DNA sequence: CCTATTATGCTCACTCTGAGCATTAAATGC
DNA sequence: GCATTTAATGCTCAGAGTGAGCATAATAGG
C-alpha cells in the first residue's frame, strides 16, 4: 500500500526522563462477582483480606485468558462475562518500597457462586461487608450518619475557605447529603473521599493523619489497594447493568422476574419499582418463558424465564435498560 | 484492626500453566485528540503511520503521569483530560514473534491543537482518514456502499448456515444496514468486523485470506495495532461526550455555541439539531457568557461563552447530556 | 371461605426529546 | 437605503419513555 518511511524512534522523543528500566513484573487481580439470593458476593482469599491475584504467565495467550483460566479452576464454573477494569503502576501503591516495578491489571468477572474450594481462607464474601454505606435497599443506611458527621468535621478542618467549600460540595454530591440525590454508581468516588479524609483503615495505614474521632465503623479493610479495586469493580458493574444484559451471567438457566429483580437490586444497592421493572424487561425481548412455573414463591406462582442468549449474537450491543436511570 | 492470617500464595492456586517469566516490558501508547474547525485530529508519528508511544520509565510516578509528561512536551499544551483506554498483552499482537513479552497500556488524551514540533513525520491527522466510513455529518458516506457489498460476499462465503446468519446480523447491526439505525459509538466493532472479513490492510498483513474483491478503499492503515487502538479511543470519546463535559477540553477559553456544536459533531460524526443543542447546553448550566460577541459568523453575531470549570469541582460527576442519545 | 402474599395487567401524569416554525441581528449586493 | 442572505436565538408541540400507583389473579394457610 505504501513504503514505510524511516521510523523515528519514539522513545527519543517521548521518554526523556530516564532510560533505566527496572525489573518489571505484571500481576493480574480479579474481582469475581456472584449473587446468592439477595447478597452480592466476591471471591476472596485470606479470609476476605485480598482479592485473587497472580502473576502474568507466558502460558496465557492474553491477559483475559489468564484471568479466565484461573477463575474457572477456582470456581468450577465458566466465567460468564469478563472485562478489564484498570491498570495501575503507581509506585506508591507498594507498601514496602521495593526497587521492582509492578504493573497490576485488574479484571471484573461474573459467575455463578460455586462451593468454595477446600482451601482455608478462600471463599465468598458479601461485598457490603466492605462498603456498608452502599446498601440502600432498606432505605438510607444508618452507618451514613456517623460517617457524614465525621466528614463534616473533616470539611471544617480545611486549611482555607476555598478548600472547605470544595470539600463540602464534594461530600454533598458524592454522598447525597443535604437534599442531593444518592447516586449508586459513585462507589469509587465515595471510597476515595473516605480515604482522603482518613476514615478508612487503608488510609490510616498509609500515614494519613488519624482522625480525632478515632475508629469509625467504615467497613472491613483489605490488603494493599484491593478495596479500592473492589470499589472500581462495583462501580463498573452498577453502571453496566443499566445498558448491557450482564445480570443474566449471575443467574441460573431459568429464573423468575423477581429473582432477576433481586439480583439487580443486590448489585445496585437500591430497590426498583416491581411493575415498571417487569415492563422494561418484557418490552426488550431479552427473555423468553421456559413454560415452567415456580410455585415456592409464597403467593401466586411465577412464570420462569430464560435469557435469550441469541440477542448477544444478533446485536453485539444490546441495550438492557433497567429502571435505575435516575 | 485484625491480625492478618497466614497468606496463601495466590500463584500456587491461580497460575498453574507456567512459572517461567519472560523478560517483560511496558509500553505506553497515546491517542491524543484535538479538534480544528470541524476536523477531529490525532497526534501521529511516522507521517501518520503510528501513534506516539514509548516505554514506561521509573521517572514516572504513575502511568498517567508518564503519558502526560510526554504529550505536554510534544504539543506545548496542557493535556486537558486524560484517561486509560485499555491494556493489551496478547502475544499475537507482535508481528515478529520475539521471546520478549510486552504489555501495552493505551491512553486517550484531549488537548488543543498546537503547531506540530519540527520533527519530520510528526503531526496531526484527521481521524476520518483512517475511518472514512465513520463520518456521517453529510449523510451516509458513499464509501459504505462498496464496503457493504464486499461484506455481503463475506457473509455468503460463510461455511455454514449458522455462521452466515450470525455474520449477516452482525453486519446489519454494526453498520446499520437494512433499516437498522447507525450507532456512531460502535467504531471498534465496525473496525473489528472489517478486520475479520479481511477488508483492512492490517488483517491482510496478518495472513487473513485476501478477499477476491481485492483492494478496497477502507481508510489508511497504521502500523501494528495502532488503528485498532485509535478505534477504541474514538469509540470511548464518542460515548463519553454524552455524559461528561469533556468537549470543552478541545475548545479555547471562549467559544460560541456553534463552535461547541461543530466540535461535538466532528467527534460524533453526525449532525445535531441546532436549537435542541442550545437548549440542552443552556439548561445544564455548564457554560456562562463571557459578555463578548463574535461577529465573524457570517450572520447575526453570536454570544461568546466559557466553560464553568467550577462544575468539575462542584459535582465530580456532571452529566453533560448531549442530543446524541438515539 | 377469608386472609396474606406474591404475580401480573393497566392507567395516568410528568419529563425529556426530536422536529420544526418564527423572529432577530448582523453582512452583502444592488 | 433596501432587499437578500446567513446565522443566532426564542418558542411550541407531539410522541416516547418513565415513575408511581391502582386493580386483579392465583396460590397457601388458617
Amino acid at each position: 500500500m505504501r513504503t514505510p518511511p524511516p521510523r523515528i524512534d519514539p522513545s527519543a522523543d517521548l521518554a526523556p526522563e530516564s532510560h533505566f528500566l527496572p525489573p518489571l513484573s505484571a500481576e493480574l487481580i480479579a474481582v469475581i462477582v456472584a449473587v446468592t439470593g439477595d447478597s452480592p458476593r466476591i471471591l476472596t482469599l485470606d479470609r476476605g483480606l485480598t482479592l485473587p491475584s497472580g502473576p502474568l504467565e507466558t502460558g496465557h495467550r492474553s491477559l483475559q485468558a489468564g484471568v479466565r483460566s484461573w477463575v474457572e479452576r477456582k470456581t468450577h464454573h465458566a466465567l460468564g462475562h469478563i472485562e478489564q477494569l484498570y491498570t495501575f503502576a503507581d509506585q506508591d501503591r507498594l507498601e514496602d518500597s521495593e526497587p521492582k516495578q509492578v504493573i497490576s491489571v485488574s479484571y471484573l468477572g461474573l459467575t455463578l457462586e460455586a462451593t468454595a474450594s477446600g482451601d482455608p481462607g478462600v471463599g465468598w464474601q458479601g461485598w457490603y461487608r466492605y462498603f456498608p454505606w452502599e446498601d440502600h435497599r432498606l432505605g438510607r443506611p444508618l452507618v451514613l450518619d456517623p460517617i457524614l458527621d465525621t466528614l463534616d468535621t473533616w470539611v471544617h478542618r480545611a486549611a482555607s475557605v476555598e478548600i472547605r467549600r470544595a470539600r463540602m460540595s464534594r461530600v454533598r454530591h458524592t454522598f447525597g447529603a443535604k437534599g442531593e440525590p444518592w447516586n449508586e454508581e459513585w462507589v469509587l468516588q465515595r471510597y476515595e473521599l473516605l480515604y482522603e479524609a482518613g476514615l478508612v483503615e487503608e488510609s490510616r495505614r498509609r500515614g494519613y493523619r488519624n482522625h480525632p474521632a478515632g475508629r469509625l465503623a467504615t467497613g472491613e479493610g483489605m490488603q494493599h489497594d484491593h478495596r479500592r479495586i473492589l470499589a472500581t469493580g462495583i462501580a463498573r458493574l452498577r453502571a453496566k447493568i443499566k445498558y448491557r444484559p450482564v445480570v443474566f451471567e449471575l443467574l441460573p438457566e431459568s429464573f423468575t422476574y423477581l429473582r432477576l429483580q433481586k439480583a439487580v437490586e443486590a448489585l445496585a444497592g437500591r430497590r426498583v419499582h416491581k411493575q415498571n421493572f417487569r415492563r422494561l424487561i418484557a418490552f426488550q425481548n431479552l427473555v423468553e418463558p421456559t413454560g415452567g412455573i415456580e410455585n415456592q414463591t409464597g403467593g401466586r406462582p411465577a412464570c420462569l424465564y430464560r435469557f435469550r442468549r441469541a440477542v448477544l449474537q444478533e446485536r453485539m450491543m444490546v441495550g438492557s435498560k433497567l429502571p435505575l436511570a435516575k
Side-chain angles (χ1 to χ4, degrees), chain A:
Chain A
M1 204 170 207
R2 79 179 69 70
T3 53
R7 290 199 58 185
I8 298 164
D9 178 10
S11 63
D13 265 302
L14 296 177
E17 318 192 12
S18 158
H19 280 264
F20 167 71
L21 296 178
L24 186 67
S25 69
E27 174 194 42
L28 300 176
I29 306 184
V31 178
I32 306 300
V33 179
V35 173
T36 310
D38 51 8
S39 171
R41 290 161 179 254
I42 52 159
L43 185 62
T44 60
L45 306 180
D46 300 343
R47 303 178 205 285
L49 281 181
T50 61
L51 295 171
S53 69
L56 172 68
E57 314 269 327
T58 29
H60 297 148
R61 279 205 334 276
S62 66
L63 295 175
Q64 189 156 317
V67 178
R68 195 176 279 279
S69 74
W70 291 353
V71 177
E72 299 192 344
R73 280 184 59 260
K74 174 65 66 185
T75 64
H76 309 291
H77 262 296
L79 258 188
H81 170 87
I82 184 166
E83 73 181 72
Q84 204 176 86
L85 282 175
Y86 206 75
T87 303
F88 310 85
D90 310 7
Q91 297 189 307
D92 57 5
R93 279 193 65 232
L94 299 170
E95 278 164 16
D96 42 352
S97 56
E98 325 166 355
K100 190 180 164 191
Q101 188 149 14
V102 179
I103 294 199
S104 303
V105 187
S106 53
Y107 276 85
L108 171 68
L110 305 184
T111 187
L112 293 172
E113 180 171 338
T115 54
S117 70
D119 308 348
V122 176
W124 296 92
Q125 302 286 345
W127 78 30
Y128 293 119
R129 167 182 179 168
Y130 305 100
F131 303 100
W133 57 88
E134 292 290 346
D135 190 358
H136 287 230
R137 284 175 293 178
L138 302 176
R140 192 169 165 286
L142 294 178
V143 266
L144 269 177
D145 291 331
I147 288 177
L148 282 173
D149 287 347
T150 320
L151 282 176
D152 203 51
T153 74
W154 173 74
V155 165
H156 287 287
R157 275 209 328 272
S160 71
V161 185
E162 292 75 39
I163 296 179
R164 174 159 50 178
R165 229 188 276 279
R167 283 185 180 179
M168 190 179 300
S169 116
R170 216 174 132 203
V171 170
R172 271 251 296 272
H173 289 95
T174 51
F175 279 91
K178 302 187 183 152
E180 294 293 319
W182 173 266
N183 187 325
E184 75 278 356
E185 286 185 34
W186 301 348
V187 184
L188 182 59
Q189 284 81 356
R190 283 185 284 267
Y191 177 74
E192 284 180 338
L193 183 52
L194 294 179
Y195 188 103
E196 283 178 47
L199 298 194
V200 292
E201 183 198 331
E202 290 90 336
S203 55
R204 295 186 195 120
R205 284 206 302 259
R206 293 300 300 281
Y208 273 64
R209 66 174 164 295
N210 211 325
H211 190 274
R215 202 105 308 171
L216 188 65
T218 49
E220 299 285 320
M222 295 184 98
Q223 303 244 323
H224 312 294
D225 54 357
H226 286 196
R227 188 150 57 142
R228 192 182 192 283
I229 294 173
L230 177 54
T232 309
I234 295 174
R236 178 76 64 88
L237 187 50
R238 284 184 170 181
K240 194 131 199 175
I241 53 172
K242 292 177 193 166
Y243 63 96
R244 292 298 306 271
V246 289
V247 213
F248 302 103
E249 312 294 347
L250 299 164
L251 293 175
E253 172 66 19
S254 88
F255 48 83
T256 64
Y257 272 147
L258 185 61
R259 173 138 190 202
L260 175 60
Q261 182 182 344
K262 290 292 181 197
V264 167
E265 291 177 334
L267 301 178
R270 37 177 282 220
R271 278 200 285 194
V272 300
H273 186 280
K274 186 190 256 190
Q275 295 94 316
N276 292 345
F277 182 81
R278 310 180 102 262
R279 174 175 62 186
L280 218 48
I281 299 297
F283 179 70
Q284 291 177 91
N285 207 25
L286 292 172
V287 299
E288 60 193 1
T290 65
I293 293 283
E294 165 69 58
N295 41 16
Q296 305 306 310
T297 55
R300 170 173 168 176
C303 293
L304 285 169
Y305 295 87
R306 78 168 69 88
F307 177 46
R308 287 184 57 240
R309 293 221 166 255
V311 298
L312 293 178
Q313 285 217 332
E314 288 170 12
R315 331 165 229 171
M316 298 186 65
M317 307 290 270
V318 246
S320 149
K321 291 172 70 177
L322 292 177
L324 294 166
K326 202 42 350 101

